[in-house]
């Protein structure tokens, strides 16, 4: 999928909002209503390609639940009614993309580290149901969790995933590597690679997952063929144990990352990885392209 200018604009503010913001998402193929559960910018990964500037402190450090839910209700109504496209920022949104695809829990950190994750999933589902009674677009929208899969083993996170399952939910689990060494190079975390792999496997045995995988140039070099083959092996191990993967998203950098050594792959390089994933795993895989110059 080609990248449009609006695809690169994912500011965490919409008007005066602090937690909820609409974006034109290249991977959802429409408008995604983002919910930021980590306004303090704290994350248990420090991905080399992340675009979040963690050198400066956010004005908002804690989630204010009532304010978040009010913003969610307002933004859902603005998008579902079509009023979003009357605003200067979204006025040039192409007609085929003028659709509310999802409410996406992501933002400036790992959303499943939020201590009341399951409670907030239920409250957000209640807001979606309330707005959906007025607007079919909100009723039909998915609830998408964009996650690094590091916390799936926690009981309250599993409860939150079950709430998503009951409310047209979809889990997008990060997997950026095939080997432990490359995983730590890219995702820069103390969490063992095996913990992520085990969590992906166990969660995918409960519901089909979308695997989101960002590949890039690091100091000028793309990932090696051996690394991509190891990555495919990890996907095959998941499905061999009964896990279901509905889609593999192969994408690259579209917004300026915090680290200057990171650059986007070419469209041809992204497609080559996608094709290799298809051949070696038999899974459905799609390409999402980046922005030249990053």
């Amino acid at each position: 999928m080609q990248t449009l200018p609006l695809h690169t604009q994912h500011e965490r503010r919409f008007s005066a909002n602090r937690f909820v913001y609409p974006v034109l998402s290249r991977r959802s193929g429409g408008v995604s209503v983002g919910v930021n559960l980590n306004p303090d910018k704290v994350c248990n990964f420090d991905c080399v390609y992340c675009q979040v500037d963690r050198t400066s402190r956010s004005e908002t450090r804690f989630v204010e639940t009532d304010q978040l839910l009010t913003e969610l209700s307002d933004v859902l109504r603005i998008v579902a009614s079509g009023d979003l496209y009357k605003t200067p920022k979204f006025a040039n949104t192409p007609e085929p993309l003028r659709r509310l695809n999802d409410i996406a829990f992501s933002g400036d950190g790992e959303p499943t580290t939020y201590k009341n994750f399951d409670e907030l999933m239920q409250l957000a589902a209640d807001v979606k149901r309330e707005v959906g009674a007025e607007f079919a677009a909100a009723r039909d929208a998915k609830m998408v969790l964009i996650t690094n899969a590091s916390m799936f083993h926690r009981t309250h996170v599993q409860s939150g995933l079950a709430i998503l399952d009951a409310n047209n939910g979809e889990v997008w689990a990060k997997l950026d590597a095939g080997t432990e060494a490359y995983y730590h190079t890219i995702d820069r975390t103390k969490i063992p690679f095996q913990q992520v792999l085990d969590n992906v496997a166990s969660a995918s045995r409960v519901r089909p997952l979308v695997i989101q995988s960002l590949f890039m140039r690091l100091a000028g070099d793309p990932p090696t063929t051996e690394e991509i083959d190891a990555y495919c092996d990890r996907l095959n191990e998941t499905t061999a144990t009964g896990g279901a993967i509905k889609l593999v998203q192969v994408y690259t950098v579209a917004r300026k990352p915090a680290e200057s050594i990171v650059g986007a792959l070419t469209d041809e390089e992204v497609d080559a990885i996608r094709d290799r994933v298809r051949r070696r795993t038999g899974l459905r895989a799609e390409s999402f392209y980046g922005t030249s110059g990053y």
Side-chain angles (χ1 to χ4, degrees):
M1 179 175 290
Q2 294 292 339
T3 299
L4 301 172
L6 272 173
H7 287 138
T8 69
Q9 300 172 24
H10 283 209
E11 296 88 348
R12 305 304 189 211
R13 295 291 186 97
F14 182 70
S15 184
N17 286 7
R18 287 180 289 162
F19 307 105
V20 182
Y21 49 95
V23 297
L24 187 64
S25 170
R26 58 181 171 150
R27 288 189 285 156
S28 73
V31 174
S32 178
V33 174
V35 180
N36 187 7
L37 299 186
N38 304 90
D40 57 4
K41 301 184 182 181
V42 173
C43 189
N44 58 2
F45 277 29
D46 183 23
C47 298
V48 67
Y49 57 77
C50 186
Q51 79 280 0
V52 177
D53 179 9
R54 303 189 194 281
T55 62
S56 62
R57 176 177 290 188
S58 173
E59 295 176 11
T60 301
R61 303 197 65 193
F62 303 101
V63 172
E64 298 171 22
T65 303
D66 290 344
Q67 179 67 26
L68 184 151
L69 297 174
T70 296
E71 291 178 9
L72 179 58
S73 178
D74 290 345
V75 174
L76 282 176
R77 284 185 165 86
I78 290 169
V79 179
S81 68
D83 287 346
L84 179 72
Y85 311 111
K86 299 175 184 177
T87 66
K89 179 176 177 179
F90 289 90
N92 294 324
T93 302
E95 192 63 37
L97 302 181
R98 293 191 174 201
R99 53 181 291 273
L100 172 59
N101 184 75
D102 58 66
I103 302 167
F105 299 90
S106 177
D108 293 336
E110 170 50 38
T112 60
T113 59
Y114 180 65
K115 63 180 181 179
N116 297 319
F117 176 75
D118 52 348
E119 175 187 349
L120 191 59
M121 292 303 100
Q122 186 59 63
L123 291 171
D126 294 342
V127 170
K128 176 179 175 294
R129 189 175 302 108
E130 177 185 341
V131 179
E134 184 179 354
F135 297 101
R139 180 195 66 216
D140 298 336
K142 291 184 288 188
M143 293 179 65
V144 173
L145 174 65
I146 301 177
T147 174
N148 62 28
S150 63
M151 298 289 109
F152 286 177
H153 57 285
R154 293 186 172 179
T155 302
H156 77 286
V157 174
Q158 292 177 1
S159 297
L161 297 182
I163 292 168
L164 287 172
D165 294 340
N167 289 277
N168 195 21
E170 193 168 76
V171 178
W172 293 8
K174 173 195 293 292
L175 187 65
D176 297 328
T179 64
E180 181 98 26
Y182 194 68
Y183 161 78
H184 284 293
T185 297
I186 299 303
D187 294 334
R188 299 190 301 192
T189 177
K190 294 180 180 179
I191 295 170
F193 189 34
Q194 194 61 50
Q195 179 173 313
V196 172
L197 294 174
D198 290 345
N199 281 348
V200 167
S202 61
S204 68
R205 289 193 288 268
V206 179
R207 85 278 297 157
L209 299 185
V210 172
I211 299 296
Q212 46 164 344
S213 302
L214 191 149
F215 297 106
M216 76 219 81
R217 292 185 180 280
L218 195 60
D221 296 325
T224 64
T225 299
E226 291 76 15
E227 185 62 36
I228 299 304
D229 285 348
Y231 163 82
C232 292
D233 290 342
R234 304 294 82 78
L235 296 177
N236 285 332
E237 288 166 2
T238 295
T239 55
T241 60
I245 297 174
K246 65 194 300 184
L247 173 66
V248 178
Q249 298 176 340
V250 178
Y251 65 114
T252 192
V253 179
R255 289 166 278 157
K256 188 174 183 179
E259 301 285 352
S260 61
I261 61 171
V262 173
L265 298 178
T266 66
D267 296 357
E268 293 76 16
E269 288 172 323
V270 174
D271 284 344
I273 295 174
R274 177 205 62 195
D275 292 345
R276 197 167 189 85
V277 170
R278 288 174 176 174
R279 288 196 305 270
R280 289 182 60 88
T281 70
L283 294 169
R284 178 180 165 226
E286 293 183 1
S287 296
F288 300 89
Y289 305 126
T291 301
S292 61
Y294 291 162

